[in-house]
């Protein structure tokens, strides 16, 4: 084993939890600057926008505002409402954005054991790079060992994304392990090209199809993964 | 006199000072994640980018990175460097972003005297709206009384921008006063259409052509402007 490669969202930090709190604060901020609707009404409309346009879309609040009936938004400059929502969303998110507590100790132990590490993440370049910076993960990986699907030009679950990174690192699939929370995106494709795989369950969405993806290892956190690397692959990892 | 209309940047807060500090911190952050150049080298290149592409351009750090010689940037993922710079820039700016201390008392006194107020600002919609939110100025103006050149579709120094706002407010030029720091943008055009004008000098760039713009009043802060409004226009403003 020469390298451990990581998914980012819900693998190195919990996306889902913070997004919920950030959305609630954004809605309150939009009401405060003059949107004439209840929290629930705005929430329902916003969730519809996210479903229809995807969670990586960058104009959620603009679309939301446009969809509200005119009497609920006529007393405001829409740009000010959107800015109030965006500022509250970002402030909340950045305030609460923290890597899981075992991430830094695990990466430090891997580095001491001379194991190569990298991030392979799905999403928009700017957004994913900003998350890595805000989470304080850049010094733990090195700024070159970050692969973002939008930047590479290949999106999960296409196995070519994993093949591209292996070529960049100069490694064979069998020398590497990929760790992620999403079975269809993070486990099935690397497994199909012969990489080792570990499904990390702590923030993973329930009701995923475990049989179809067939992860080689299932762990609840990085201490369990460290034990596997020590016992099954002889990686000399210190305790953390 | 029925309304006092305000410029935003360097009239209600000091842009220049904070932008300088924010830029310096952004440069340090980019060096920290792996740019192999001195602070001075990056600073000089960045100032060239700003001169060539304008201060309102949104891709300064991307362009900067692209312009550095390859050996100074080869060890890094460019998206991570840009994110490090952008995060440091925003954090510094938002931490230091404060309206001048006499802004809130002046606006409160104007509101008590039943004087209408509004902002007419030059710049990009999202950026200017975010400044208003971050400065805490939205509750002082009301979210509808904000006019941004990019959103209106007419840019300073075109006097049509001021005529548009007067039409929206239902006021005659002679019933209003515009207050700003930039003689060519904030004084000459409203004066040309018959509005009253006050040049506020505290954050104003030196060596502007005072004779050409010919401001009706020149003040150093809002206390001096309040005195003029009381004495020359009979506005019943309380002390602050």
């Amino acid at each position: 084993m020469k390298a451990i490669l990581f998914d980012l969202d819900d693998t190195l930090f919990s996306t889902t939890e913070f997004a919920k709190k950030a959305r609630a604060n954004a809605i309150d901020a939009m009401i405060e600057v003059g949107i004439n609707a209840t929290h629930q009404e705005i929430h329902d409309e916003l969730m519809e926008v996210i479903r229809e346009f995807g969670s990586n879309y960058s104009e959620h609040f603009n679309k939301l505002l446009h969809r509200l009936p005119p009497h609920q938004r006529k007393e405001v400059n829409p740009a000010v409402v959107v800015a109030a929502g965006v500022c509250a969303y970002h402030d909340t998110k950045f305030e609460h954005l923290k890597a899981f507590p075992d991430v830094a100790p695990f990466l430090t132990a891997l580095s001491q054991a001379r194991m190569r590490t990298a991030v392979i993440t799905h999403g928009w370049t700017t957004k994913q790079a900003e998350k890595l910076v805000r989470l304080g993960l850049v010094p733990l990986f090195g700024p070159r060992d970050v692969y973002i699907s939008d930047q590479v030009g290949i999106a999960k679950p296409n196995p070519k994304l994993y093949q591209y990174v292996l070529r960049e690192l100069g490694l064979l699939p069998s020398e590497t392990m990929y760790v992620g929370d999403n079975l269809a995106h993070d486990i099935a494709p690397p497994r199909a090209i012969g990489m080792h795989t570990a499904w990390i369950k702590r923030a993973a969405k329930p009701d995923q199809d475990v049989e179809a993806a067939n992860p080689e290892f299932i762990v609840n956190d990085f201490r369990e993964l460290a034990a596997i690397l020590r016992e099954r692959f002889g990686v000399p990892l210190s305790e953390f």
Side-chain angles (χ1 to χ4, degrees), chain A:
Chain A
M1 184 74 60
K2 291 191 177 164
I4 313 292
L5 311 174
F6 295 88
D7 170 51
L8 176 55
D9 293 80
D10 280 334
T11 293
L12 300 182
F13 77 107
S14 170
T15 324
T16 317
E17 189 185 321
F18 302 137
K20 205 168 148 184
K21 178 85 182 134
R23 263 197 309 268
N25 285 353
I27 291 168
D28 289 340
M30 290 189 282
I31 292 171
E32 207 179 307
V33 298
I35 286 295
N36 183 23
T38 67
H39 189 102
Q40 192 62 46
E41 284 169 334
I42 301 177
H43 177 267
D44 292 348
E45 197 70 40
L46 180 59
M47 296 318 285
E48 261 191 44
V49 171
I50 294 171
R51 274 197 301 278
E52 292 173 19
F53 291 85
S55 65
N56 271 326
Y57 184 65
S58 65
E59 308 268 313
H60 287 149
F61 296 145
N62 292 290
K63 283 281 175 297
L64 161 76
L65 209 61
H66 193 70
R67 292 158 68 119
L68 292 176
H71 74 274
Q72 293 189 322
R73 54 183 159 91
K74 72 170 182 218
E75 292 303 321
V76 290
N77 177 326
V80 172
V81 180
V82 170
V86 168
C87 289
Y89 188 91
H90 282 162
D91 289 352
T92 312
K93 200 159 169 187
F94 296 153
E95 197 182 312
H96 290 96
L97 212 62
K98 298 262 184 307
F100 290 120
D102 55 356
V103 170
F106 183 44
L107 287 166
T108 306
L110 287 169
S111 152
Q112 286 163 349
R114 306 208 151 259
M115 183 70 69
R116 188 92 189 256
T117 58
V119 170
I120 307 176
T121 175
H122 183 81
W124 301 119
T125 306
T126 310
K127 218 168 151 179
Q128 296 309 93
E130 192 171 342
K131 282 180 199 168
L132 282 160
V133 168
R134 297 266 176 210
L135 287 163
L137 291 175
V138 176
L140 293 169
F141 283 102
R144 212 175 155 189
D145 300 326
V146 169
Y147 300 90
I148 305 169
S149 60
D150 170 41
Q151 194 180 34
V152 173
I154 310 165
K156 292 184 184 181
N158 191 340
K160 282 186 187 167
L161 174 63
Y162 298 89
Q163 284 168 324
Y164 173 93
V165 176
L166 294 184
R167 251 195 333 268
E168 289 287 311
L169 297 173
L171 294 172
L172 298 170
S174 59
E175 297 171 326
T176 65
M177 175 183 277
Y178 193 68
V179 188
D181 69 295
N182 185 310
L183 289 170
H185 275 196
D186 302 328
I187 302 301
R191 203 156 164 65
I193 63 164
M195 294 171 70
H196 296 282
T197 54
W199 182 39
I200 188 156
K201 282 178 66 182
R202 61 180 151 201
K205 287 200 177 70
D207 62 26
Q208 297 189 64
D209 189 343
V210 185
E211 267 181 52
N214 190 21
E216 189 179 353
F217 303 103
I218 300 179
V219 298
N220 290 294
D221 56 41
F222 288 135
R223 281 192 181 78
E224 290 185 22
L225 184 58
I228 290 170
L229 290 171
R230 275 184 215 107
E231 291 155 25
R232 304 283 289 266
F233 296 92
V235 181
L237 285 177
S238 57
E239 291 291 334
F240 59 90

